[in-house]
Amino acid sequence: MKNATLLGCCAAWLLVLASSHPARAADDLPNIVVIYADDLGFGDLSCYNDDAPYKTPRLDQMAAEGIRFTDAHSPSTICSPSRYGLFSGQQIYRSTGRGGGAFEGPSGPSYLKPGTLTIADMLKQQGYRTGVFGKWHVGLSWFDKDGKRLGGGFENSLLIDYEKSTPLIDGPNARGFDESFVTPNCPNTDPLYVYIENGMVPTPASVRHQRDTLPNPGGKWRWDNDEGWKSPGYDFVNADLLFYEKTKAFITDHVRQTPDKPFFAVLSTQIAHAPVLPAKEFNGVTDAGPRADFVWELDAIVGRVIDLLNELDIDDDTLVLFNSDNGAETLHVHWMRQDHQHDPSGGWRGMKRDGWEGGHRVPFIARWPGHIPPGQVTDQMTNTTDIFATVASVVGVALPDDAATDSFDMLPVMLGQQPETDPIRPHLLTQSFRGEFQIRQGHWKYLDHQGSGGNGYEQGSMALYALPEQEPDAPGQLYNLKTDPGETTNLYFKEEAKRKELQALLEKLKTSGRSAPIGRKPFRN
């Protein structure tokens, strides 16, 4: 009965998409590559930060050849809920009812529930071959020998019955991807440390990882490498080079074997998540320490992807999107500020986990030669969830109203067809570490909570960045980002009418089941 229900859901989606809009001809469909960075702050690229103590030449080049968004945001201020937003086009509360944490150990089930239309589902139904490589981290179902679903906890890794657990019932290949090579959690931080290839685990976890077997750049940058169970031969230091090679093989094989069919590839890196473990060839390439070397490695990988597209003579036929899942990690921000006078948050208040801008304002760059005019910089407000509707527009799909319900089509902006004075988004939702909401409307921002929504700023290194709260009795925060981009002056009481307006809008969006418009149609250039 369960399998019949799932098949029925898939068939229903197929019929809806097929009837909602005629698919474009295969030779009119571009290849699509998403490069999804991890814990990369707004100020971590030199094209976003003139004061960065290092350069990111390939990403700067990508921005110069396409469009760079300066008001782009992650759906959440931590990784797993943001990844749900990328794949589903929705805020995490659509799946959980509120917030969502990050997974550790053999924990799940997936935030991507059965029946959820994913971006890979949608593209696969339009004739794309789909692949994802790198960090998955939206939850997976693992079972013990008695068929009981396992939860988090490092020791539970040894209880996995791989015969009963694989092929994974909610892995990438069950969510629209034809090919996958992923890790279940953060590749270098959270056990279970195994590789999953097309829903199977070639080498189960049987060895206890000891962090002192890894390099420790600068004596501190190995921080946040948890000890737990791993597969023999699991490679921490070369993780992203491995993910790139898997992506390269997928693209190369596809172009050689089925050149008349488009592909969709997601390269989900673990840079610049803790621990900072740049591959050997990148050690010391900058003058700003190990984390800068790490970001340089990410930049080089982006360059290798673009070079590969050129080598295969498909560059002009490929849309490349670069984005990050949230702001930079707390100690990374602190150490880079103290040691190298570099601000990964790019001048914005807050960092990873926080509802302030530094927690969710992130880089977003798009490049598509011959289609996206070069040299564009836009302050159009956008969210990672918008990638779904934008890609749907690219391939000519009118999305059903009950799919990707927080996704707006940014293609007109990318193509240079949308005036800056005419915003695509009338509003934008984000969620912080505890699932609390923030809402933007123009330059006004309301935080439906006190404090950061994530980190504590009472002691230790974080106390250096604490700001006095002028309205300590206010249950929420209201800021005018046009006059107060640092979110220093809480206008909760002084601008009562605007605050009530945003509170009412937030409640409406939460209860209506969507924040995106209904009846979305593909944009035609």
Side-chain angles (χ1 to χ4, degrees):
M1 180 64 71
K2 178 179 174 183
N3 289 338
T5 301
L6 291 178
L7 288 172
C9 289
C10 293
W13 279 123
L14 184 59
L15 288 172
V16 168
L17 289 178
S19 61
S20 62
H21 199 279
R24 291 185 175 174
D27 58 1
D28 193 35
L29 295 174
N31 306 305
I32 301 168
V33 177
V34 175
I35 303 173
Y36 200 44
D38 200 340
D39 290 8
L40 189 79
F42 182 86
D44 273 328
L45 305 183
S46 51
C47 56
Y48 279 88
N49 183 359
D50 292 338
D51 297 324
Y54 55 86
K55 297 295 182 183
T56 49
R58 300 310 303 269
L59 279 158
D60 294 0
Q61 177 187 0
M62 181 179 168
E65 294 173 349
I67 186 169
R68 176 169 63 89
F69 287 79
T70 61
D71 199 359
H73 300 264
S74 57
S76 172
T77 62
I78 57 171
C79 48
S80 295
S82 286
R83 279 167 167 70
Y84 171 80
L86 170 65
F87 293 127
S88 71
Q90 301 182 143
Q91 292 292 141
I92 188 60
Y93 77 98
R94 308 291 183 198
S95 175
T96 66
R98 184 159 175 76
F103 294 99
E104 296 182 353
S107 51
S110 176
Y111 285 147
L112 295 167
K113 295 179 179 178
T116 301
L117 183 71
T118 69
I119 190 171
D121 287 324
M122 183 268 295
L123 289 171
K124 189 173 180 178
Q125 292 162 7
Q126 300 306 312
Y128 279 73
R129 185 156 185 82
T130 58
V132 59
F133 310 95
K135 176 178 175 178
W136 181 243
H137 213 195
V138 288
L140 293 167
S141 294
W142 302 90
F143 301 95
D144 66 13
K145 61 182 178 59
D146 297 320
K148 178 183 177 182
R149 190 193 303 272
L150 293 166
F154 300 152
E155 296 302 327
N156 277 355
S157 297
L158 292 181
L159 301 179
I160 296 173
D161 185 310
Y162 289 91
E163 185 174 344
K164 283 186 168 60
S165 299
T166 58
L168 290 160
I169 61 172
D170 49 8
N173 295 69
R175 296 295 182 265
F177 288 100
D178 294 302
E179 293 189 28
S180 64
F181 184 92
V182 299
T183 60
N185 306 319
C186 293
N188 285 0
T189 305
D190 304 319
L192 172 74
Y193 297 125
V194 297
Y195 302 125
I196 305 168
E197 189 161 18
N198 294 325
M200 306 301 291
V201 179
T203 308
S206 60
V207 178
R208 182 78 179 190
H209 168 59
Q210 302 292 329
R211 70 173 61 91
D212 61 7
T213 61
L214 297 178
N216 192 13
K220 61 185 178 184
W221 288 99
R222 191 175 61 199
W223 168 78
D224 204 20
N225 171 236
D226 292 341
E227 297 188 347
W229 296 98
K230 68 175 183 178
S231 300
Y234 189 89
D235 191 343
F236 291 85
V237 175
N238 297 298
D240 283 314
L241 295 182
L242 173 62
F243 300 151
Y244 166 72
E245 290 298 327
K246 294 293 183 179
T247 306
K248 176 182 177 181
F250 170 78
I251 294 174
T252 302
D253 291 346
H254 175 88
V255 170
R256 290 174 179 168
Q257 296 170 12
T258 53
D260 57 339
K261 186 176 182 178
F263 67 81
F264 172 60
V266 178
L267 171 54
S268 181
T269 80
Q270 55 99 32
I271 299 174
H273 198 285
V276 172
L277 297 172
K280 185 178 180 179
E281 65 184 280
F282 299 101
N283 283 324
V285 293
T286 74
D287 295 324
R291 187 175 183 275
D293 297 344
F294 212 27
V295 175
W296 183 283
E297 179 180 350
L298 172 64
D299 185 75
I301 288 172
V302 172
R304 291 178 188 182
V305 171
I306 293 175
D307 290 344
L308 175 66
L309 300 177
N310 274 296
E311 292 167 10
L312 296 173
D313 198 26
I314 57 171
D315 188 41
D316 290 348
D317 303 320
T318 305
L319 167 64
V320 181
L321 304 171
F322 178 88
N323 193 216
S324 176
D325 65 353
N326 47 249
E329 180 58 85
T330 52
L331 278 180
H332 288 192
V333 173
H334 175 62
W335 288 337
M336 292 303 289
R337 286 174 176 173
Q338 298 297 311
D339 297 349
H340 301 288
Q341 295 72 58
H342 169 61
D343 183 12
S345 296
W348 299 101
R349 184 182 185 186
M351 49 202 86
K352 179 179 179 178
R353 301 179 190 83
D354 293 339
W356 298 316
E357 289 293 288
H360 52 80
R361 189 179 286 238
V362 294
F364 183 39
I365 302 170
R367 176 184 181 273
W368 187 10
H371 298 268
I372 295 178
Q376 294 186 88
V377 180
T378 178
D379 61 3
Q380 285 269 355
M381 188 167 58
T382 187
N383 191 301
T384 299
T385 56
D386 297 339
I387 289 175
F388 198 130
T390 303
V391 166
S393 190
V394 167
V395 302
V397 169
L399 290 173
D401 288 338
D402 57 352
T405 55
D406 298 300
S407 191
F408 287 71
D409 179 8
M410 303 305 295
L411 185 60
V413 179
M414 293 181 181
L415 297 180
Q417 302 292 313
Q418 186 76 13
E420 284 290 285
T421 54
D422 186 9
I424 293 284
R425 273 184 165 274
H427 42 66
L428 178 142
L429 293 175
T430 53
Q431 290 181 263
S432 55
F433 178 63
R434 294 187 291 267
E436 294 166 316
F437 285 91
Q438 304 82 44
I439 186 169
R440 277 276 305 280
Q441 185 188 61
H443 54 263
W444 288 100
K445 178 179 178 182
Y446 173 69
L447 296 86
D448 198 33
H449 55 86
Q450 292 181 320
S452 73
N455 299 301
Y457 284 78
E458 297 78 24
Q459 57 187 358
S461 62
M462 299 297 287
L464 295 172
Y465 312 111
L467 298 177
E469 175 53 69
Q470 298 174 344
E471 301 289 356
D473 296 329
Q477 301 164 71
L478 178 69
Y479 299 108
N480 184 335
L481 294 182
K482 183 176 182 180
T483 59
D484 181 26
E487 297 173 276
T488 63
T489 305
N490 187 357
L491 302 174
Y492 186 93
F493 294 118
K494 292 180 181 178
E495 296 284 352
E496 182 180 7
K498 175 56 69 174
R499 182 250 300 170
K500 288 184 176 179
E501 177 186 348
L502 290 179
Q503 286 174 323
L505 177 59
L506 175 59
E507 289 306 309
K508 177 183 176 181
L509 296 178
K510 286 164 59 178
T511 57
S512 68
R514 65 183 308 102
S515 65
I518 62 173
R520 291 163 293 185
K521 301 296 183 184
F523 177 76
R524 295 292 187 177
N525 185 21

